[in-house]
C-alpha cells in the first residue's frame, strides 16, 4: 500500500469516526445522578433538577455565506465583465481608444485583476480571490485573441505562445492557491488556445501534439494534487476539441485517432503505476476505451481498426491475468471489461456472417462466468449485457426458421442452449444471493421452452420435403417424445417440478393437436394422432401409481 492509498484510507477512517461520535452525541441518554439513598431525598435536602435537552446535530445551511461569499462574487464578476465590454465598445465607437490602446488596456486590466486577487487572498477571502484570478486569465486570452485575430497587431506564433503562457499562469495559480476551480479554468483556456489564433494552414499533427501534451500535463497535475473534477474535465475537454477540429478540417490524416489512443495509453500507464486517484482513473479508463473505439471507427481503415482492437484484447487479457495473480481486485473487473468489449468490437468487424451472433453469445457467457468467479458486480453486468443483447439478436434470427440442419441457425441454437445450461451450472457453484433459486428456476423453465422450439425447428427442417400431414404428425410425435423424456427424468430423480413440467408438455401437445393439427390434416392422421396421444397418456399415468 503506497503513501496515497494510506492517506485515502486514513481520511475515510477519520470520516467514519466523526460520524460515529456525532451519532453517540445525538443518541446519548440523559444521566441522573442520584443521592446516596438512591430512592428518596432526605428531609430538608434539595434535589437538583436536571433537564434533558436534545441536541440537534443537523447543520443548517448558511444562506448568507452561500449567497454573499460564494455566488455573489461569481455572478457580479460576470456582470462586471459585461459592463466593461459595453463600456469598451462605447469608447471604441466614439473613437476615443485605438486598437493598440485597447490591447494595452486589456493587459493592464488582467494585471489589475491579479493584483486584486492576491490582495483578497492575503485578507482571507479565498473565493473572491479565485474569481479575480480566474477572470484575469480570461481577460488575457481575449486580449491576445483580439490583438491577433481582429487587429493583426501580433503574429500567430506569438499569439499562440502568449496563450500557452496564460494557461501556464492559470495552472500556477491553481497550484499556488490550492484551487481546483482555477485549474479547471486554465484547462478550458488551454484547450481553446488553438482556436483563438488566426491560422488558416494549421497542421493536424501539431494540433494533436499540443492537445495531448496539454491533457497529459493537466492529468498529472490533477493526480498529484488529487483534484478529481480537474481530472475529469481535462479528459472530457480533449474530445470536443478534436470533434470541432475534425468538422472544420479538410483531412485529419488519422492524427486525431492516434491522439485519442495516446490519451488512453497514458491513462493505462497511470493505472499500472497506481498513482493518484485510482478509483476515478479506472472509471475514466473504461470510458476512454469506448471513445477510443469510436474514434477508430471514424478515422481509421478496417485493417487498422482490427489490428488495434485485437492488440487491445490481448493486452487487457494479459493484464487481467496479471491482476488476478496479484489479487488486485479493484482493477481486475475493469481490465476484464475492456478485454471483453475489445474482443466484441473485433468480432463485429471481422465476422460478417450470422455466425457472429453465436460468437457474441459465447463471449458474453465467458465474461459473465468470469464476473461470477471473481465476484465482481461490474464484470457481471458487462457480461450479462453482452449476453442478453446477443441473445435478443439471435432470437430474432431464429424466429425466421431453420431451412436445413447445416445452417447458422443450428449453430446459434446449440450455443444458446449450451450457454443457458452453463449459466445454471455456474449459479449452483457461485450463488449471487437470496434471488439465486428464483433465477435458477426461471432459467430452467426458459431452457425447457427453448429446447421445445429447437426440437420443432429441427423436425421442421428434416421434414421440409414431406407432405404437410406427415410433417404435423412428426412434429407432434417429437413433442410427445420430449414430454416423455422430461417425465422420465423427473420420475428417476424424484423431482416434482420436472414431473409437472412433463405433464404440462403432454397437455400442450394435446392442445396443439386439437387447435393446429385437426383443421389441416386428414382423417387418418387425426386418428393416428389421437390414438397415439390417448394411449401414451394412459400409459404414463400408470407410472404415477406407487405400491404401498
Amino acid at each position: 500500500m503506497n503513501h496515497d492509498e494510506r492517506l485515502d484510507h486514513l481520511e475515510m477512517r477519520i470520516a467514519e469516526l466523526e460520524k460515529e461520535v456525532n451519532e453517540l452525541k445525538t443518541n446519548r441518554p440523559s444521566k441522573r445522578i442520584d443521592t446516596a439513598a438512591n430512592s428518596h431525598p432526605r428531609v430538608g435536602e434539595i434535589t437538583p433538577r436536571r433537564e434533558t435537552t436534545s441536541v440537534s446535530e443537523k447543520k443548517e445551511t448558511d444562506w448568507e455565506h452561500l449567497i454573499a461569499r460564494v455566488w455573489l462574487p461569481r455572478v457580479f464578476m460576470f456582470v462586471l465583465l459585461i459592463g466593461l465590454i459595453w463600456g469598451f465598445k462605447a469608447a471604441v465607437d466614439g473613437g476615443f481608444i485605438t486598437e493598440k490602446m485597447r490591447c494595452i488596456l486589456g493587459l493592464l486590466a488582467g494585471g489589475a485583476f491579479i493584483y486584486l486577487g492576491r490582495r483578497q487572498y492575503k485578507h482571507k477571502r479565498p473565493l473572491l480571490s479565485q474569481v479575480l484570478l480566474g477572470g484575469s486569465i480570461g481577460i488575457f486570452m481575449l486580449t491576445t485573441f483580439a490583438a491577433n485575430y481582429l487587429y493583426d497587431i501580433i503574429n500567430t506564433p506569438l499569439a499562440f505562445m502568449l496563450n500557452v503562457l496564460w494557461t501556464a499562469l492559470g495552472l500556477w495559480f491553481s497550484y499556488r492557491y490550492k484551487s481546483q476551480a482555477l485549474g479547471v479554468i486554465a484547462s478550458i483556456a488551454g484547450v481553446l488556445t488553438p482556436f483563438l489564433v488566426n491560422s488558416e494552414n494549421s497542421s493536424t499533427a501539431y494540433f494533436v501534439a499540443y492537445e495531448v501534451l496539454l491533457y497529459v500535463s493537466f492529468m498529472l497535475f490533477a493526480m498529484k494534487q488529487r483534484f478529481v473534477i480537474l481530472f475529469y474535465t481535462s479528459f472530457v475537454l480533449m474530445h470536443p476539441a478534436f470533434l470541432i477540429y475534425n468538422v472544420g478540417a479538410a483531412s485529419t490524416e488519422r492524427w486525431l485517432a492516434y491522439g485519442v489512443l495516446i490519451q488512453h495509453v497514458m491513462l493505462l500507464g497511470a493505472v499500472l503505476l497506481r498513482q493518484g486517484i485510482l478509483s476515478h482513473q479506472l472509471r475514466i479508463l473504461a470510458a476512454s476505451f469506448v471513445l477510443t473505439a469510436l474514434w477508430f471507427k471514424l478515422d481509421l481503415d478496417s485493417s487498422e481498426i482490427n489490428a488495434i482492437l485485437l492488440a487491445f484484447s490481448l493486452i487487457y487479457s494479459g493484464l487481467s491475468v496479471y491482476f488476478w495473480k496479484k489479487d488486485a481486485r479493484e482493477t481486475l473487473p475493469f481490465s476484464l471489461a475492456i478485454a471483453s468489449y475489445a474482443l466484441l468490437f473485433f468480432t463485429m468487424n471481422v465476422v460478417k456472417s450470422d455466425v457472429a451472433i453465436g460468437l457474441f453469445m459465447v463471449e458474453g457467457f465467458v465474461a459473465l462466468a468470469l464476473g461470477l468467479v471473481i465476484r465482481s458486480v461490474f464484470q457481471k453486468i458487462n457480461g450479462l449485457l453482452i449476453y442478453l443483447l446477443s441473445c435478443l439478436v439471435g432470437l430474432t434470427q431464429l424466429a425466421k426458421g431453420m431451412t436445413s440442419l447445416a445452417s447458422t441457425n443450428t449453430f446459434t441454437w446449440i450455443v444458446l442452449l449450451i450457454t443457458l445450461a452453463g449459466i445454471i451450472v455456474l449459479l449452483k457453484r457461485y450463488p449471487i444471493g437470496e434471488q439465486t433459486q428464483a433465477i435458477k428456476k426461471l432459467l430452467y423453465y426458459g431452457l425447457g421452452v427453448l429446447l421445445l422450439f429447437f426440437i420443432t425447428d429441427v423436425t421442421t427442417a428434416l421434414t421440409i420435403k414431406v407432405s404437410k400431414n406427415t410433417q404435423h404428425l412428426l412434429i407432434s410425435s417429437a413433442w410427445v417424445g420430449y414430454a416423455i423424456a422430461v417425465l422420465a427424468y423427473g420420475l428417476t430423480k424424484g423431482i416434482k417440478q420436472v414431473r409437472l413440467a412433463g405433464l404440462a408438455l403432454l397437455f400442450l401437445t394435446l392442445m396443439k393437436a386439437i387447435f393446429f393439427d385437426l383443421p389441416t390434416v386428414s382423417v387418418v392422421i387425426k386418428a393416428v394422432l389421437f390414438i397415439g396421444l390417448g394411449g401414451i397418456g394412459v400409459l404414463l399415468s400408470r407410472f404415477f401409481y406407487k405400491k404401498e
Side-chain angles (χ1 to χ4, degrees), residues 17-259:
L17 290 173
E18 288 179 349
K19 184 178 179 181
E20 292 176 2
V21 169
N22 290 334
E23 290 178 354
L24 289 173
K25 286 181 179 179
T26 304
N27 301 323
R28 180 175 56 191
S30 60
K31 297 180 179 179
R32 176 180 295 175
I33 303 175
D34 296 331
T35 59
N38 203 24
S39 57
H40 300 286
R42 297 176 184 176
V43 178
E45 184 176 356
I46 299 175
T47 304
R49 181 179 180 182
R50 294 182 177 271
E51 295 182 358
T52 304
T53 59
S54 60
V55 181
S56 177
E57 293 292 334
K58 186 178 181 180
K59 188 176 180 181
E60 295 183 358
T61 303
D62 189 350
W63 290 104
E64 182 182 6
H65 169 80
L66 187 63
I67 296 174
R69 296 185 181 182
V70 178
W71 286 107
L72 189 68
R74 297 177 182 178
V75 173
F76 283 89
M77 173 57 68
F78 182 70
V79 174
L80 175 62
L81 287 174
I82 293 176
L84 288 174
I85 292 171
W86 282 344
F88 187 78
K89 185 179 184 303
V92 170
D93 293 341
F96 300 107
I97 303 176
T98 63
E99 293 178 349
K100 290 184 179 180
M101 288 180 62
R102 299 169 200 172
C103 297
I104 293 172
L105 286 174
L107 294 175
L108 291 175
F113 272 48
I114 292 177
Y115 172 76
L116 293 173
R118 289 174 61 86
R119 282 186 60 85
Q120 296 304 316
Y121 183 81
K122 290 179 180 179
H123 288 85
K124 309 299 182 184
R125 303 182 188 107
L127 295 176
L128 182 57
S129 171
Q130 292 173 17
V131 171
L132 291 168
L133 293 173
S136 70
I137 302 300
I139 292 174
F140 282 142
M141 297 202 71
L142 288 174
T143 303
T144 305
F145 171 75
N148 170 247
Y149 205 95
L150 300 179
Y151 308 140
D152 201 21
I153 297 174
I154 59 176
N155 57 28
T156 297
L158 179 58
F160 186 84
M161 291 175 61
L162 286 174
N163 281 329
V164 172
L165 177 63
W166 309 142
T167 302
L169 183 63
L171 192 63
W172 185 81
F173 285 156
S174 177
Y175 171 76
R176 173 66 179 80
Y177 300 107
K178 306 298 181 187
S179 170
Q180 183 169 214
L182 288 175
V184 172
I185 292 173
S187 66
I188 296 172
V191 168
L192 291 177
T193 292
F195 303 101
L196 297 178
V197 294
N198 189 9
S199 179
E200 296 180 355
N201 300 318
S202 59
S203 170
T204 305
Y206 285 123
F207 171 79
V208 171
Y210 167 78
E211 292 288 350
V212 170
L213 182 61
L214 183 77
Y215 162 74
V216 171
S217 302
F218 276 95
M219 181 192 73
L220 295 175
F221 177 75
M223 290 192 302
K224 183 68 176 178
Q225 301 297 319
R226 309 185 69 80
F227 287 163
V228 175
I229 297 176
L230 178 60
F231 180 75
Y232 282 98
T233 303
S234 61
F235 168 77
V236 170
L237 285 176
M238 197 176 89
H239 295 275
F242 277 14
L243 189 60
I244 294 170
Y245 186 89
N246 186 64
V247 171
S251 174
T252 60
E253 301 171 352
R254 298 183 174 87
W255 286 106
L256 298 180
Y258 294 152

Side-chain angles (χ1 to χ4, degrees), residues 371-377 380 423-440:
L372 290 170
V373 172
I374 67 174
R375 302 186 186 282
S376 166
V377 176
K380 281 187 277 191
I423 293 174
I424 295 172
V425 174
L426 284 170
L427 287 176
K428 289 180 180 179
R429 185 167 183 181
Y430 303 102
I432 55 175
E434 297 178 354
Q435 66 272 30
T436 303
Q437 291 300 324
I439 294 174
K440 282 168 56 180

Side-chain angles (χ1 to χ4, degrees), residues 287-363:
S288 174
F289 169 74
V290 176
L291 289 173
T292 303
L294 291 175
W295 277 105
F296 287 169
K297 194 70 175 176
L298 187 65
D299 272 8
L300 300 182
D301 297 331
S302 295
S303 58
E304 293 175 299
I305 295 174
N306 294 338
I308 296 175
L309 288 176
L310 181 60
F312 264 110
S313 180
L314 295 175
I315 290 170
Y316 276 100
S317 297
L319 287 175
S320 299
V321 175
Y322 171 77
F323 292 144
W324 172 264
K325 291 182 178 179
K326 292 291 184 180
D327 199 26
R329 295 304 177 93
E330 72 277 14
T331 52
L332 178 59
F334 292 92
S335 63
L336 279 175
I338 295 175
S340 302
Y341 284 109
L343 185 59
L344 177 68
F345 296 153
F346 173 76
T347 307
M348 290 173 65
N349 279 336
V350 173
V351 183
K352 300 299 183 180
S353 66
D354 292 336
V355 177
I357 299 173
L359 297 178
F360 295 156
M361 289 183 190
V362 173
E363 184 182 344

Side-chain angles (χ1 to χ4, degrees), residues 390-519:
S390 58
C391 283
L392 287 175
V393 177
L395 290 173
T396 304
Q397 173 197 344
L398 295 175
K400 298 175 183 178
M402 186 186 299
T403 56
S404 66
L405 281 181
S407 63
T408 54
N409 277 28
T410 306
F411 174 72
T412 305
W413 268 120
I414 293 172
V415 171
L416 178 60
L417 296 173
I418 291 176
T419 51
L420 271 179
I423 293 174
I424 295 172
V425 174
L426 284 170
L427 287 176
K428 289 180 180 179
R429 185 167 183 181
Y430 303 102
I432 55 175
E434 297 178 354
Q435 66 272 30
T436 303
Q437 291 300 324
I439 294 174
K440 282 168 56 180
K441 185 180 291 186
L442 182 64
L443 289 175
Y444 272 123
Y445 287 126
L447 182 61
V449 172
L450 288 174
L451 191 56
L452 179 65
F453 283 115
F454 173 65
I455 291 171
T456 306
D457 245 7
V458 170
T459 308
T460 303
L462 292 174
T463 59
I464 196 169
K465 295 182 179 180
V466 302
S467 64
K468 289 294 182 183
N469 287 339
T470 307
Q471 190 177 57
H472 281 290
L473 180 61
L474 291 174
I475 291 174
S476 296
S477 301
W479 282 32
V480 171
Y482 180 42
I484 293 173
V486 173
L487 275 170
Y489 181 80
L491 289 168
T492 304
K493 297 294 183 179
I495 305 174
K496 184 178 180 180
Q497 289 84 353
V498 177
R499 296 197 299 268
L500 291 175
L503 291 173
L505 280 171
L506 196 60
F507 279 101
L508 182 64
T509 306
L510 179 61
M511 294 298 102
K512 173 185 175 298
I514 293 173
F515 293 103
F516 291 97
D517 297 341
L518 287 183

Side-chain angles (χ1 to χ4, degrees), residues 4 8 215 219-220 222-224 226-228 231-232 235 263-264 266-289 316 330-331 334 338:
D4 291 332
D8 289 340
Y215 162 74
M219 181 192 73
L220 295 175
M223 290 192 302
K224 183 68 176 178
R226 309 185 69 80
F227 287 163
V228 175
F231 180 75
Y232 282 98
F235 168 77
Q263 182 192 48
H264 183 81
M266 295 303 299
L267 275 170
L268 177 59
V271 170
L272 293 177
L273 293 174
R274 305 180 68 81
Q275 297 295 320
I277 39 184
L278 184 61
S279 60
H280 298 283
Q281 292 164 210
L282 288 170
R283 295 170 192 166
I284 286 288
L285 187 68
S288 174
F289 169 74
Y316 276 100
E330 72 277 14
T331 52
F334 292 92
I338 295 175

